[in-house]
Amino acid sequence: MEWLTMSQWSPYAVGAGIGVLSCLAFFLSNKPLGASTAFARTSGMIEKLCRGNKTLEKAYYKKFKPTIDWEWMLVIGIIVGSFISSHLSGEFQMFAVPEVWRQAAGDSFFLRWLVSLAGGIMLGFGARWAGGCTSGHGISGTLQLAVSSWIAACCFFIGGIATAMIVFRILLAS
Amino acid sequence: MLKNIHSQKRVQLLFGFLIGIVFGFLLQKGGVTDYNVIMGQLLLEDFTVVKIMLTAIVVGMIGVRILITFNLAELHPKPGSVGSSLVGGLIFGVGFALLGYCPGTVAGAFGQGALDALLGGIAGMLIGAGLFAALYTRLEASILHKGDFGTKTIPELLKVNPWIVIAVATPLIIALLIWIETAGL
Protein backbone atom coordinates (compact mmCIF):
# COMPACT_ATOMS: atom_id res chain seq x y z
CA MET A 1 0.00 0.00 0.00
CA GLU A 2 3.07 2.21 -0.34
CA TRP A 3 1.47 4.10 -3.24
CA LEU A 4 -1.11 5.60 -0.90
CA THR A 5 1.56 7.37 1.12
CA MET A 6 3.56 8.63 -1.87
CA SER A 7 3.57 12.41 -2.04
CA GLN A 8 3.02 12.54 -5.79
CA TRP A 9 1.81 10.21 -8.53
CA SER A 10 2.57 10.39 -12.23
CA PRO A 11 0.30 12.97 -13.87
CA TYR A 12 -0.69 10.32 -16.43
CA ALA A 13 -1.85 7.92 -13.70
CA VAL A 14 -3.82 10.72 -12.04
CA GLY A 15 -5.30 11.84 -15.38
CA ALA A 16 -6.32 8.28 -16.28
CA GLY A 17 -7.86 7.93 -12.80
CA ILE A 18 -9.89 11.11 -13.28
CA GLY A 19 -11.00 9.85 -16.73
CA VAL A 20 -12.22 6.57 -15.19
CA LEU A 21 -13.87 8.51 -12.35
CA SER A 22 -15.73 10.65 -14.93
CA CYS A 23 -17.10 7.50 -16.53
CA LEU A 24 -18.16 6.24 -13.11
CA ALA A 25 -19.98 9.52 -12.40
CA PHE A 26 -21.84 9.26 -15.71
CA PHE A 27 -22.69 5.60 -15.02
CA LEU A 28 -23.66 5.76 -11.33
CA SER A 29 -25.11 9.26 -11.11
CA ASN A 30 -25.81 10.37 -14.70
CA LYS A 31 -23.71 13.45 -13.89
CA PRO A 32 -20.55 15.00 -15.27
CA LEU A 33 -17.90 15.99 -12.69
CA GLY A 34 -18.06 19.71 -11.92
CA ALA A 35 -17.51 22.11 -9.04
CA SER A 36 -18.63 25.67 -9.66
CA THR A 37 -22.43 25.40 -9.27
CA ALA A 38 -21.83 24.23 -5.69
CA PHE A 39 -20.39 27.67 -4.94
CA ALA A 40 -23.39 29.41 -6.54
CA ARG A 41 -25.77 27.26 -4.48
CA THR A 42 -23.83 27.97 -1.27
CA SER A 43 -23.87 31.68 -2.03
CA GLY A 44 -27.66 31.41 -2.42
CA MET A 45 -27.95 29.52 0.87
CA ILE A 46 -26.01 32.26 2.69
CA GLU A 47 -28.12 34.96 1.05
CA LYS A 48 -31.27 33.07 2.06
CA LEU A 49 -30.07 33.08 5.67
CA CYS A 50 -29.68 36.86 5.53
CA ARG A 51 -32.57 37.92 3.29
CA GLY A 52 -35.01 35.06 3.71
CA ASN A 53 -37.18 33.56 0.99
CA LYS A 54 -36.96 36.68 -1.18
CA THR A 55 -33.64 35.22 -2.36
CA LEU A 56 -35.50 32.35 -4.03
CA GLU A 57 -37.29 34.80 -6.33
CA LYS A 58 -34.03 35.62 -8.14
CA ALA A 59 -34.09 34.13 -11.62
CA TYR A 60 -30.66 32.56 -11.13
CA TYR A 61 -31.68 30.73 -7.96
CA LYS A 62 -34.76 29.41 -9.70
CA LYS A 63 -32.39 27.81 -12.18
CA PHE A 64 -29.84 26.69 -9.57
CA LYS A 65 -31.77 26.11 -6.36
CA PRO A 66 -29.77 26.96 -3.22
CA THR A 67 -29.86 23.43 -1.81
CA ILE A 68 -27.43 20.64 -1.13
CA ASP A 69 -27.19 18.44 -4.22
CA TRP A 70 -24.88 15.83 -5.77
CA GLU A 71 -22.28 18.35 -6.90
CA TRP A 72 -22.30 20.14 -3.53
CA MET A 73 -21.48 16.83 -1.84
CA LEU A 74 -18.77 16.26 -4.48
CA VAL A 75 -17.01 19.50 -3.49
CA ILE A 76 -17.15 18.57 0.21
CA GLY A 77 -15.73 15.20 -0.84
CA ILE A 78 -12.83 16.93 -2.64
CA ILE A 79 -11.86 18.69 0.61
CA VAL A 80 -11.98 15.37 2.51
CA GLY A 81 -10.14 13.42 -0.22
CA SER A 82 -7.34 15.95 -0.42
CA PHE A 83 -7.06 15.98 3.37
CA ILE A 84 -6.77 12.17 3.46
CA SER A 85 -4.20 12.12 0.65
CA SER A 86 -2.03 14.87 2.14
CA HIS A 87 -2.34 13.38 5.62
CA LEU A 88 -1.22 9.95 4.40
CA SER A 89 1.85 11.38 2.68
CA GLY A 90 2.67 13.74 5.55
CA GLU A 91 2.26 16.72 3.22
CA PHE A 92 -0.63 18.29 5.11
CA GLN A 93 0.49 21.68 6.33
CA MET A 94 -1.31 24.87 7.29
CA PHE A 95 0.10 27.89 5.52
CA ALA A 96 -1.14 31.28 4.35
CA VAL A 97 1.35 32.42 1.70
CA PRO A 98 2.35 29.89 -1.00
CA GLU A 99 6.02 29.66 -2.00
CA VAL A 100 5.98 30.96 -5.61
CA TRP A 101 3.93 33.98 -4.47
CA ARG A 102 6.27 34.60 -1.52
CA GLN A 103 9.34 34.63 -3.78
CA ALA A 104 7.74 37.18 -6.11
CA ALA A 105 5.70 39.36 -3.75
CA GLY A 106 7.01 38.80 -0.21
CA ASP A 107 5.65 37.44 3.09
CA SER A 108 2.65 39.73 3.54
CA PHE A 109 -0.49 37.66 4.09
CA PHE A 110 -2.61 40.78 3.68
CA LEU A 111 -1.38 41.28 0.10
CA ARG A 112 -1.76 37.59 -0.75
CA TRP A 113 -5.24 37.61 0.79
CA LEU A 114 -6.33 40.69 -1.19
CA VAL A 115 -5.11 39.23 -4.49
CA SER A 116 -6.54 35.78 -3.79
CA LEU A 117 -9.88 37.32 -2.79
CA ALA A 118 -9.96 39.38 -6.00
CA GLY A 119 -9.03 36.21 -7.92
CA GLY A 120 -11.72 34.21 -6.14
CA ILE A 121 -14.38 36.80 -6.96
CA MET A 122 -13.44 36.79 -10.66
CA LEU A 123 -13.23 33.00 -10.68
CA GLY A 124 -16.69 32.59 -9.16
CA PHE A 125 -18.13 35.29 -11.40
CA GLY A 126 -16.42 33.98 -14.56
CA ALA A 127 -17.29 30.34 -13.86
CA ARG A 128 -20.99 31.16 -13.63
CA TRP A 129 -20.73 33.48 -16.65
CA ALA A 130 -19.17 30.70 -18.72
CA GLY A 131 -21.46 28.07 -17.18
CA GLY A 132 -18.68 25.88 -15.83
CA CYS A 133 -15.12 25.59 -14.57
CA THR A 134 -11.91 23.64 -15.18
CA SER A 135 -13.76 20.46 -14.13
CA GLY A 136 -17.23 21.01 -15.62
CA HIS A 137 -16.00 22.48 -18.90
CA GLY A 138 -12.26 21.65 -18.84
CA ILE A 139 -12.59 17.91 -18.25
CA SER A 140 -16.25 16.78 -18.32
CA GLY A 141 -17.35 19.03 -21.17
CA THR A 142 -14.31 18.52 -23.36
CA LEU A 143 -14.49 14.73 -23.02
CA GLN A 144 -18.10 14.95 -24.25
CA LEU A 145 -16.69 16.95 -27.18
CA ALA A 146 -19.01 19.88 -26.39
CA VAL A 147 -18.23 22.95 -28.51
CA SER A 148 -18.99 25.32 -25.59
CA SER A 149 -16.53 23.49 -23.32
CA TRP A 150 -13.61 23.46 -25.77
CA ILE A 151 -14.01 27.22 -26.28
CA ALA A 152 -14.38 27.90 -22.55
CA ALA A 153 -11.42 25.66 -21.63
CA CYS A 154 -9.15 27.39 -24.16
CA CYS A 155 -10.23 30.80 -22.82
CA PHE A 156 -9.53 29.71 -19.21
CA PHE A 157 -5.90 29.11 -20.20
CA ILE A 158 -5.57 32.10 -22.54
CA GLY A 159 -6.85 34.44 -19.79
CA GLY A 160 -4.85 32.60 -17.13
CA ILE A 161 -1.52 32.54 -18.99
CA ALA A 162 -1.83 36.20 -20.05
CA THR A 163 -2.65 37.32 -16.50
CA ALA A 164 0.09 35.18 -14.91
CA MET A 165 2.67 36.58 -17.34
CA ILE A 166 1.58 40.19 -16.69
CA VAL A 167 1.58 39.75 -12.90
CA PHE A 168 4.79 37.70 -12.51
CA ARG A 169 6.89 38.81 -15.49
CA ILE A 170 5.99 42.52 -15.50
CA LEU A 171 4.29 43.80 -12.31
CA LEU A 172 6.25 41.74 -9.76
CA ALA A 173 9.47 41.38 -11.78
CA SER A 174 10.92 44.78 -10.97
CA MET B 1 -31.86 -0.59 -12.84
CA LEU B 2 -29.66 2.44 -13.54
CA LYS B 3 -32.62 4.83 -13.71
CA ASN B 4 -33.68 3.49 -10.33
CA ILE B 5 -30.29 4.26 -8.77
CA HIS B 6 -30.19 7.68 -10.44
CA SER B 7 -33.51 8.68 -8.88
CA GLN B 8 -32.62 7.73 -5.28
CA LYS B 9 -31.75 11.09 -3.76
CA ARG B 10 -29.93 9.97 -0.64
CA VAL B 11 -27.92 7.34 -2.47
CA GLN B 12 -26.94 9.99 -5.02
CA LEU B 13 -25.78 12.42 -2.33
CA LEU B 14 -23.61 9.62 -0.93
CA PHE B 15 -22.26 8.80 -4.42
CA GLY B 16 -21.45 12.49 -4.93
CA PHE B 17 -19.55 12.56 -1.66
CA LEU B 18 -17.64 9.32 -2.37
CA ILE B 19 -16.77 10.31 -5.94
CA GLY B 20 -15.66 13.68 -4.55
CA ILE B 21 -13.33 11.98 -2.07
CA VAL B 22 -11.65 10.01 -4.86
CA PHE B 23 -11.50 13.16 -7.03
CA GLY B 24 -9.90 15.18 -4.22
CA PHE B 25 -7.48 12.35 -3.49
CA LEU B 26 -6.42 12.19 -7.14
CA LEU B 27 -6.09 15.98 -7.48
CA GLN B 28 -3.88 16.10 -4.38
CA LYS B 29 -1.72 13.17 -5.52
CA GLY B 30 -1.39 14.86 -8.91
CA GLY B 31 -0.03 17.99 -7.23
CA VAL B 32 -2.66 20.28 -8.73
CA THR B 33 -4.08 21.34 -5.37
CA ASP B 34 -0.75 23.16 -4.96
CA TYR B 35 -0.61 26.86 -5.90
CA ASN B 36 3.00 26.47 -7.07
CA VAL B 37 2.09 23.74 -9.58
CA ILE B 38 -0.85 25.69 -11.03
CA MET B 39 1.19 28.89 -11.37
CA GLY B 40 3.98 26.80 -12.93
CA GLN B 41 1.47 25.79 -15.60
CA LEU B 42 0.18 29.33 -16.22
CA LEU B 43 3.79 30.59 -16.42
CA LEU B 44 4.47 27.70 -18.87
CA GLU B 45 7.25 26.21 -16.73
CA ASP B 46 5.55 23.03 -15.48
CA PHE B 47 2.97 21.19 -17.60
CA THR B 48 1.51 18.94 -14.86
CA VAL B 49 -1.98 20.49 -15.14
CA VAL B 50 -2.14 20.02 -18.92
CA LYS B 51 -0.79 16.44 -18.69
CA ILE B 52 -3.48 15.48 -16.17
CA MET B 53 -6.28 17.20 -18.07
CA LEU B 54 -5.39 15.80 -21.49
CA THR B 55 -4.98 12.26 -20.13
CA ALA B 56 -8.34 12.52 -18.33
CA ILE B 57 -9.95 13.78 -21.55
CA VAL B 58 -8.61 10.87 -23.66
CA VAL B 59 -9.60 8.19 -21.13
CA GLY B 60 -12.98 9.81 -20.35
CA MET B 61 -13.78 10.53 -24.01
CA ILE B 62 -13.32 6.86 -24.97
CA GLY B 63 -14.87 5.47 -21.76
CA VAL B 64 -18.01 7.60 -21.85
CA ARG B 65 -18.49 6.88 -25.56
CA ILE B 66 -18.29 3.11 -24.83
CA LEU B 67 -20.91 3.53 -22.07
CA ILE B 68 -23.16 5.40 -24.50
CA THR B 69 -22.72 2.72 -27.17
CA PHE B 70 -24.05 0.16 -24.67
CA ASN B 71 -26.82 2.50 -23.52
CA LEU B 72 -25.29 2.82 -20.06
CA ALA B 73 -24.92 6.62 -20.04
CA GLU B 74 -26.16 9.74 -21.75
CA LEU B 75 -24.33 12.94 -22.66
CA HIS B 76 -24.92 16.24 -20.89
CA PRO B 77 -23.12 18.84 -23.02
CA LYS B 78 -23.44 22.37 -21.63
CA PRO B 79 -25.01 25.10 -23.73
CA GLY B 80 -22.71 27.91 -24.82
CA SER B 81 -22.30 31.05 -26.85
CA VAL B 82 -19.56 33.48 -27.79
CA GLY B 83 -20.94 35.86 -25.15
CA SER B 84 -20.91 33.29 -22.37
CA SER B 85 -18.19 30.70 -23.13
CA LEU B 86 -15.60 33.08 -24.55
CA VAL B 87 -16.12 36.19 -22.40
CA GLY B 88 -16.84 34.18 -19.23
CA GLY B 89 -13.87 31.94 -19.97
CA LEU B 90 -11.52 34.91 -20.15
CA ILE B 91 -12.86 36.43 -16.89
CA PHE B 92 -12.40 33.00 -15.29
CA GLY B 93 -8.83 32.88 -16.61
CA VAL B 94 -7.91 36.19 -14.95
CA GLY B 95 -9.30 34.91 -11.64
CA PHE B 96 -7.55 31.55 -12.15
CA ALA B 97 -4.14 33.27 -12.36
CA LEU B 98 -4.74 35.76 -9.51
CA LEU B 99 -5.95 33.04 -7.17
CA GLY B 100 -3.74 30.20 -8.39
CA TYR B 101 -6.48 27.63 -7.89
CA CYS B 102 -9.66 26.73 -9.77
CA PRO B 103 -13.06 25.89 -8.23
CA GLY B 104 -12.28 22.19 -7.72
CA THR B 105 -8.64 22.54 -6.72
CA VAL B 106 -9.40 25.43 -4.33
CA ALA B 107 -11.45 22.94 -2.28
CA GLY B 108 -8.56 20.45 -2.44
CA ALA B 109 -6.02 23.14 -1.51
CA PHE B 110 -8.06 23.99 1.58
CA GLY B 111 -8.14 20.25 2.38
CA GLN B 112 -4.34 20.16 2.47
CA GLY B 113 -4.07 23.26 4.67
CA ALA B 114 -3.92 26.29 2.35
CA LEU B 115 -5.53 29.19 4.21
CA ASP B 116 -5.35 31.52 1.19
CA ALA B 117 -7.59 28.99 -0.57
CA LEU B 118 -10.19 29.26 2.20
CA LEU B 119 -10.06 32.95 3.17
CA GLY B 120 -9.34 34.31 -0.30
CA GLY B 121 -10.42 31.67 -2.81
CA ILE B 122 -13.54 30.07 -1.36
CA ALA B 123 -14.74 33.35 0.22
CA GLY B 124 -14.14 35.21 -3.04
CA MET B 125 -15.88 32.56 -5.14
CA LEU B 126 -18.99 32.79 -2.97
CA ILE B 127 -19.00 36.59 -3.44
CA GLY B 128 -18.38 36.27 -7.20
CA ALA B 129 -21.13 33.68 -7.68
CA GLY B 130 -23.53 35.83 -5.64
CA LEU B 131 -22.63 38.87 -7.71
CA PHE B 132 -23.34 36.91 -10.89
CA ALA B 133 -26.75 35.82 -9.54
CA ALA B 134 -27.54 39.47 -8.79
CA LEU B 135 -26.61 40.59 -12.32
CA TYR B 136 -27.93 37.47 -14.07
CA THR B 137 -31.18 38.91 -15.49
CA ARG B 138 -29.36 41.88 -17.00
CA LEU B 139 -26.46 39.81 -18.36
CA GLU B 140 -28.83 37.24 -19.83
CA ALA B 141 -30.77 39.92 -21.68
CA SER B 142 -27.65 41.60 -23.04
CA ILE B 143 -24.60 39.37 -23.59
CA LEU B 144 -25.00 35.73 -22.48
CA HIS B 145 -26.81 34.60 -25.65
CA LYS B 146 -24.74 36.56 -28.19
CA GLY B 147 -23.51 34.11 -30.83
CA ASP B 148 -25.43 31.19 -29.35
CA PHE B 149 -24.44 27.66 -30.42
CA GLY B 150 -26.53 25.71 -27.90
CA THR B 151 -25.46 22.30 -26.65
CA LYS B 152 -23.80 21.32 -29.95
CA THR B 153 -20.95 18.81 -29.84
CA ILE B 154 -18.04 18.72 -32.29
CA PRO B 155 -19.36 15.56 -34.07
CA GLU B 156 -22.77 17.25 -34.49
CA LEU B 157 -21.12 20.38 -35.82
CA LEU B 158 -19.06 18.40 -38.34
CA LYS B 159 -21.93 15.95 -39.00
CA VAL B 160 -19.71 12.90 -38.46
CA ASN B 161 -19.80 9.85 -36.19
CA PRO B 162 -18.39 10.67 -32.73
CA TRP B 163 -15.92 7.76 -33.04
CA ILE B 164 -14.31 9.49 -36.02
CA VAL B 165 -13.65 12.60 -33.92
CA ILE B 166 -12.27 10.40 -31.13
CA ALA B 167 -10.08 8.51 -33.63
CA VAL B 168 -8.57 11.80 -34.82
CA ALA B 169 -8.36 13.57 -31.44
CA THR B 170 -6.74 10.70 -29.50
CA PRO B 171 -3.50 10.42 -31.54
CA LEU B 172 -3.27 14.23 -31.71
CA ILE B 173 -3.50 14.54 -27.92
CA ILE B 174 -1.02 11.68 -27.40
CA ALA B 175 1.40 13.30 -29.85
CA LEU B 176 1.08 16.60 -27.97
CA LEU B 177 1.82 14.84 -24.66
CA ILE B 178 4.88 13.11 -26.15
CA TRP B 179 6.08 16.45 -27.48
CA ILE B 180 5.65 18.06 -24.04
CA GLU B 181 7.63 15.17 -22.46
CA THR B 182 10.46 15.34 -24.98
CA ALA B 183 10.65 19.12 -24.55
CA GLY B 184 11.26 18.38 -20.86
CA LEU B 185 8.33 20.47 -19.66
Side-chain angles (χ1 to χ4, degrees):
Chain A
M1 297 303 267
E2 211 172 85
W3 52 281
L4 284 174
T5 57
M6 281 166 74
S7 68
Q8 202 157 351
W9 290 353
S10 148
Y12 303 109
V14 170
I18 293 174
V20 172
L21 193 67
S22 293
C23 298
L24 211 62
F26 270 99
F27 179 69
L28 291 175
S29 301
N30 194 24
K31 288 256 197 319
L33 296 179
S36 70
T37 59
F39 290 88
R41 290 185 208 276
T42 310
S43 192
M45 287 184 229
I46 295 170
E47 202 179 319
K48 200 181 149 200
L49 277 180
C50 305
R51 292 181 59 235
N53 284 334
K54 258 176 76 183
T55 308
L56 302 176
E57 288 163 24
K58 280 191 180 167
Y60 200 68
Y61 294 133
K62 283 186 180 157
K63 213 171 143 190
F64 296 99
K65 292 202 173 58
T67 50
I68 291 172
D69 70 337
W70 185 89
E71 195 171 308
W72 200 90
M73 293 301 293
L74 182 96
V75 174
I76 301 296
I78 293 175
I79 300 175
V80 176
S82 171
F83 174 75
I84 296 172
S85 169
S86 60
H87 189 71
L88 285 175
S89 63
E91 278 210 326
F92 179 87
Q93 198 194 351
M94 298 271 248
F95 66 92
V97 183
E99 194 48 38
V100 166
W101 177 265
R102 185 200 308 275
Q103 283 168 13
D107 293 333
S108 160
F109 176 60
F110 184 68
L111 182 63
R112 171 59 191 148
W113 175 73
L114 270 187
V115 173
S116 62
L117 187 72
I121 292 172
M122 294 195 67
L123 196 70
F125 192 74
R128 293 332 300 147
W129 186 312
C133 63
T134 351
S135 311
H137 270 315
I139 294 173
S140 304
T142 50
L143 70 81
Q144 297 181 73
L145 299 168
V147 176
S148 64
S149 297
W150 278 96
I151 294 178
C154 290
C155 290
F156 295 164
F157 282 94
I158 293 171
I161 290 166
T163 308
M165 292 294 177
I166 292 168
V167 172
F168 281 85
R169 299 279 182 262
I170 300 171
L171 296 177
L172 295 173
S174 47
Chain B
M1 185 197 81
L2 276 176
K3 281 258 152 56
N4 191 13
I5 295 177
H6 293 166
S7 64
Q8 291 185 11
K9 256 194 149 177
R10 278 160 190 267
V11 175
Q12 284 306 322
L13 289 180
L14 179 67
F15 280 172
F17 184 58
L18 295 176
I19 291 172
I21 291 178
V22 179
F23 194 25
F25 195 95
L26 287 168
L27 291 171
Q28 207 283 330
K29 284 280 178 261
V32 289
T33 53
D34 181 353
Y35 173 90
N36 305 309
V37 172
I38 293 189
M39 289 320 293
Q41 177 64 67
L42 296 179
L43 292 167
L44 306 178
E45 290 165 350
D46 171 350
F47 276 65
T48 304
V49 175
V50 164
K51 288 176 193 171
I52 290 177
M53 286 181 72
L54 290 179
T55 312
I57 291 169
V58 169
V59 172
M61 183 167 69
I62 297 170
V64 169
R65 183 48 56 185
I66 291 173
L67 288 175
I68 288 173
T69 309
F70 290 100
N71 246 329
L72 296 171
E74 45 190 273
L75 282 189
H76 298 286
K78 290 171 186 273
S81 67
V82 177
S84 91
S85 315
L86 190 123
V87 180
L90 292 173
I91 298 172
F92 181 100
V94 177
F96 190 20
L98 292 179
L99 177 60
Y101 309 108
C102 56
T105 53
V106 81
F110 168 50
Q112 68 169 44
L115 295 175
D116 59 334
L118 175 70
L119 303 173
I122 294 177
M125 281 199 63
L126 293 176
I127 298 171
L131 210 62
F132 184 78
L135 296 172
Y136 177 66
T137 321
R138 250 179 289 172
L139 290 171
E140 202 196 14
S142 54
I143 187 165
L144 292 182
H145 296 291
K146 286 261 156 68
D148 213 316
F149 41 77
T151 57
K152 262 210 170 64
T153 61
I154 297 171
E156 285 167 2
L157 191 76
L158 301 174
K159 297 194 175 70
V160 294
N161 186 302
W163 281 113
I164 294 178
V165 179
I166 293 174
V168 174
T170 303
L172 282 177
I173 292 175
I174 292 173
L176 183 63
L177 288 171
I178 292 173
W179 179 75
I180 289 171
E181 269 315 318
T182 50
L185 290 167

